[in-house]
Amino acid sequence: MELWFTEIHTPNVRFSIKVDRQLYSYTSEFQRIDIFESQEFGRILTLDGLMMVAEKDEFIYHDMIVHVPMATNPEIKRVLLIGAGDGGAVRELTRYDGIEHIDMVEIDKEVVKACREYLPSLSYKLSDPRVHLHFEDGLKFVRTRENEYDLIIVDSTDPFGPGEGLFTKEFYGNCYKALKADGILVNQHESPYYPEDALAMNRAHQRIKAFFPICKVYQAHIPTYPSGHWLFGLASKQYDPLKVDLNRWERLGLHTRYYNTDLHKGCFALPTYALELLEHGEDDDE
Ligand code: SAM
C-alpha cells in the first residue's frame, strides 16, 4: 500500500509526496498540525494540509528570508520574528553574533512543541538565550511596539486562517512604527504564478508600498511550494539592498548552502510577468 501527502495548489493542480509514515497529527485551537516522513524530502510539516517546511529544501527558504536582510544591514541587533514556529529562521538568525535580541511571536505553541520533537534540525536553536518566545497573535503584538526593531521578519502561513491579519494594511503600518529609523521588513510574499497566490502577493505589495520608501521583491526556487517560484518582500526605511557593501557580509565568514552575495544581486531581477503583476496592483481599502 502507498501513502501520499497531497496538497491542492489549484482546483486543477495537485502536488503529491510519497510518505513512508505519518509521525504526528494534532488539531490545535488554530490549525491541524501534521508531520510526515518521506524519502524525497525527509520530514515535512503541514498546517491545515498546506506544506510549511520540508527537511530537504527548507535551507533555501530560511537562507533567503534571513541572509538577504542580514547582508543588507549586518549591524542588525534587535529582531522581531513573526510566525516561524518551525525554528528554521531562528536557526539562521542565531548564527549572527551581532544579534542581541529576538522576539519570536508564534500564535500556536503546539507548532513549536511538535517541531521541537520531530524537526530538531530546524528547531534546535529555539533555546538560544537571545530568543524570547511569545505565544500570541503577531497582529496584536506589533500594535504595542514603537521604534524598537532593526529587522522584522514575517515568516507566516498564507493570508487566510490565523495568518490573515499578517497581510493587512494595519499590520504593515504597525510594523513600520515598530521599526527603527533604518529598519527593514521582510515577509514571505507568496508567488506570481497561480492566480490566488498572485492576488495575495499583489495585495501585500500594494499595502507595504503605502508605508515604506524602498519596496523590493526577490525570488527563490522552492520545490515544495506551489509552482516552485516563491517570492520574498524586502521593505526598507533607509537601506537599498542593491546599494550596500556586501563585502561586510562576506567578512563575517558564514557558510550558507543557498544564499551568496552574487545571488543577492540576482534574486531581485524578476521575470517580466511578475514585475507587471506587482506594478499594476489594484488599491484596496483593507
Ligand atoms: N515557511 C512557511 C511558509 O512560508 O508558509 C511558514 C512557516 S511557519 C510554520 C508559519 C507559522 O505562522 C505557523 O507556525 C503559524 O502558527 C504561524 N502564524 C500564523 N498566523 C499567525 C499570527 N497571526 N501570529 C503569529 N504566528 C502566526
Side-chain angles (χ1 to χ4, degrees), residues 52-53 57-69 72 81 88-89 92 151-156 158 167 172 184-192 197 200-202 204-205 208 214-225 228-236 241 258-259 263-264 266-271 274-275 278:
M52 290 292 128
V53 289
D57 76 349
E58 57 86 5
F59 72 97
I60 303 170
Y61 179 92
H62 292 116
D63 264 24
M64 293 305 276
I65 207 167
V66 167
H67 302 303
V68 171
T72 299
L81 181 57
E92 293 308 308
L151 171 63
I152 297 177
I153 294 180
V154 187
D155 179 9
S156 70
D158 299 313
F167 289 78
Y172 294 130
I184 296 171
L185 166 70
V186 167
N187 64 304
Q188 78 87 354
H189 214 60
E190 302 289 315
S191 167
D197 296 333
M201 166 202 77
N202 186 283
H205 193 61
I208 293 169
I214 299 167
C215 279
K216 292 195 181 293
V217 177
Y218 59 100
Q219 64 187 0
H221 172 253
I222 302 177
T224 51
Y225 282 2
H229 188 182
W230 215 253
L231 301 179
F232 300 86
L234 189 148
S236 178
Y258 191 86
Y259 175 83
L263 182 68
H264 181 110
C267 68
F268 286 93
L270 300 178
L275 288 173
L278 287 164

Side-chain angles (χ1 to χ4, degrees), residues 31 47 61 83 86 105-107 111 137-138 155-157 162-163 225:
Q31 53 213 334
L47 295 179
Y61 179 92
D86 51 75
V105 184
E106 163 56 61
I107 201 167
V111 172
D137 184 342
D155 179 9
S156 70
T157 45
Y225 282 2

Side-chain angles (χ1 to χ4, degrees), residues 34-259:
D34 291 290
I35 296 177
F36 302 95
E37 184 96 70
S38 75
Q39 289 290 323
E40 198 67 53
F41 286 102
R43 290 186 176 184
I44 59 179
L45 164 73
T46 70
L47 295 179
D48 285 340
L50 299 178
M51 171 64 71
M52 290 292 128
V53 289
E55 280 181 323
K56 292 273 181 72
D57 76 349
E58 57 86 5
F59 72 97
I60 303 170
Y61 179 92
H62 292 116
D63 264 24
M64 293 305 276
I65 207 167
V66 167
H67 302 303
V68 171
M70 289 306 298
T72 299
N73 176 17
E75 307 301 315
I76 283 169
K77 291 180 173 52
R78 290 184 65 86
V79 182
L80 171 57
L81 181 57
I82 295 177
D86 51 75
V90 160
R91 180 194 66 206
E92 293 308 308
L93 283 167
T94 51
R95 298 178 64 193
Y96 291 85
D97 296 338
I99 288 182
E100 296 167 357
H101 185 100
I102 301 170
D103 282 319
M104 177 171 148
V105 184
E106 163 56 61
I107 201 167
D108 193 344
K109 65 181 181 309
E110 296 300 334
V111 172
V112 173
K113 186 167 156 247
C115 294
R116 276 188 157 133
E117 182 168 355
Y118 292 101
L119 290 170
S121 65
L122 283 102
S123 60
Y124 72 98
K125 290 303 287 284
L126 285 172
S127 49
D128 185 294
R130 293 169 289 174
V131 180
H132 304 266
L133 261 171
H134 308 264
F135 293 122
E136 55 185 283
D137 184 342
L139 177 64
K140 296 192 180 96
F141 182 92
V142 79
R143 281 179 188 148
T144 60
R145 304 292 157 148
E146 186 150 1
N147 188 31
E148 195 168 330
Y149 298 103
D150 303 299
L151 171 63
I152 297 177
I153 294 180
V154 187
D155 179 9
S156 70
T157 45
D158 299 313
F160 39 79
E164 190 170 359
L166 304 181
F167 289 78
T168 59
K169 254 188 176 171
E170 178 211 347
F171 174 70
Y172 294 130
N174 285 332
C175 285
Y176 184 90
K177 179 171 61 64
L179 284 167
K180 292 179 183 172
D182 62 349
I184 296 171
L185 166 70
V186 167
N187 64 304
Q188 78 87 354
H189 214 60
E190 302 289 315
S191 167
Y193 191 73
Y194 290 126
E196 206 175 292
D197 296 333
L199 184 62
M201 166 202 77
N202 186 283
R203 279 196 179 136
H205 193 61
Q206 299 312 320
R207 293 166 187 171
I208 293 169
K209 270 195 333 187
F211 299 99
F212 287 83
I214 299 167
C215 279
K216 292 195 181 293
V217 177
Y218 59 100
Q219 64 187 0
H221 172 253
I222 302 177
T224 51
Y225 282 2
S227 82
H229 188 182
W230 215 253
L231 301 179
F232 300 86
L234 189 148
S236 178
K237 288 186 172 182
Q238 181 176 322
Y239 305 119
D240 181 328
L242 293 174
K243 294 177 183 164
V244 291
D245 175 10
L246 295 174
N247 292 316
R248 294 192 306 167
W249 186 86
E250 294 282 10
R251 285 195 287 274
L252 295 175
L254 290 175
H255 175 259
T256 43
R257 288 179 59 201
Y258 191 86
Y259 175 83

